[in-house]
Amino acid sequence: GAQCSAPRVSSFWAMAFKWRQLRRFLPVVYVVVGYGASVWLSLCARNRFDGALKIDATTSMFLQGLIKWTSLAVVVSLLLHLFGVHVAGIDGLLASLGIAVG
């Protein structure tokens, strides 16, 4: 007759152990991907501002920096949340600083 084999539990635990080891490097991946995304967003904004929208150079540089640093603040907030820090107060502080400066 047909043999019914049970799933291999040892391979599951080996994979879980490897994931636990790789999980240590997850914050580094978040930083690299977050920084890359912020640079990409600011470059896309600069291309849009210089191309289709025809914004002057000073305003374009200001908005490009604003986009870059806002996206980096989001990355830092996500990293702090990853480490277990409650970030609602920090996010509120950053938002109130942005309103006060603006």
Side-chain angles (χ1 to χ4, degrees):
Q3 290 185 352
C4 182
S5 62
R8 294 178 48 176
V9 177
S10 62
S11 64
F12 170 78
W13 289 111
M15 187 173 64
F17 182 70
K18 286 180 185 178
W19 171 248
R20 191 173 300 154
Q21 286 179 335
L22 291 176
R23 196 170 176 192
R24 277 188 268 168
F25 299 107
L26 206 54
V28 175
V29 172
Y30 283 169
V31 167
V32 170
V33 170
Y35 181 76
S38 70
V39 169
W40 179 76
L41 282 173
S42 65
L43 288 176
C44 286
R46 184 179 69 182
N47 291 337
R48 179 61 62 107
F49 295 152
D50 293 343
L53 297 178
K54 305 285 190 220
I55 296 177
D56 65 340
T58 305
T59 307
S60 175
M61 287 184 347
F62 171 74
L63 291 174
Q64 180 184 359
L66 182 70
I67 290 170
K68 179 180 179 181
W69 289 106
T70 301
S71 59
L72 283 176
V74 169
V75 170
V76 168
S77 176
L78 290 173
L79 278 174
L80 289 175
H81 181 71
L82 181 70
F83 289 126
V85 177
H86 296 288
V87 294
I90 297 170
D91 290 341
L93 178 68
L94 286 174
S96 64
L97 284 175
I99 291 173
V101 170

